[in-house]
Amino acid sequence: MTTQNITLSLPKDLLLKVKLLAVRRGTSVSGLLADELEKLVARDEAYSLARQCHLAWLEGAADLGTDGHIEASRDELHER
């Protein structure tokens, strides 16, 4: 995979914590960030796909016998 360098500005205290985390996980800061960004992108793509599938499902939802028209009023439906 081809990589490209970027410049990232972080507060010094956060950068120190990130470096320590990377050491504990046996990776570099770049590797740690790349892994987390990949997870973020994958979650976003999965959400978009699920949203598209559900919207398509709603468009093709079964007719419940009303042909899209409800003849009863709200008050009639909520009478006890």
Side-chain angles (χ1 to χ4, degrees), residues 34-64:
D35 288 345
E36 292 302 315
L37 289 172
E38 282 181 18
K39 290 176 191 175
L40 181 64
V41 168
R43 280 195 309 263
D44 186 66
E45 289 173 349
Y47 172 81
S48 293
L49 180 59
R51 184 176 187 275
Q52 286 176 338
C53 289
H54 283 86
L55 288 174
W57 178 80
L58 286 172
E59 288 294 322
D63 179 19
L64 300 176

Side-chain angles (χ1 to χ4, degrees), residues 14-76:
L14 177 60
L15 180 57
L16 178 61
K17 292 176 184 177
V18 170
K19 286 180 178 181
L20 291 172
L21 180 61
V23 168
R24 283 194 302 248
R25 293 189 180 184
T27 188
S28 63
V29 172
S30 291
L32 182 69
L33 290 173
D35 288 345
E36 292 302 315
L37 289 172
E38 282 181 18
K39 290 176 191 175
L40 181 64
V41 168
R43 280 195 309 263
D44 186 66
E45 289 173 349
Y47 172 81
S48 293
L49 180 59
R51 184 176 187 275
Q52 286 176 338
C53 289
H54 283 86
L55 288 174
W57 178 80
L58 286 172
E59 288 294 322
D63 179 19
L64 300 176
T66 63
D67 291 326
H69 304 293
I70 299 174
E71 296 180 11
S73 70
R74 182 181 186 280
D75 291 333
E76 289 173 331

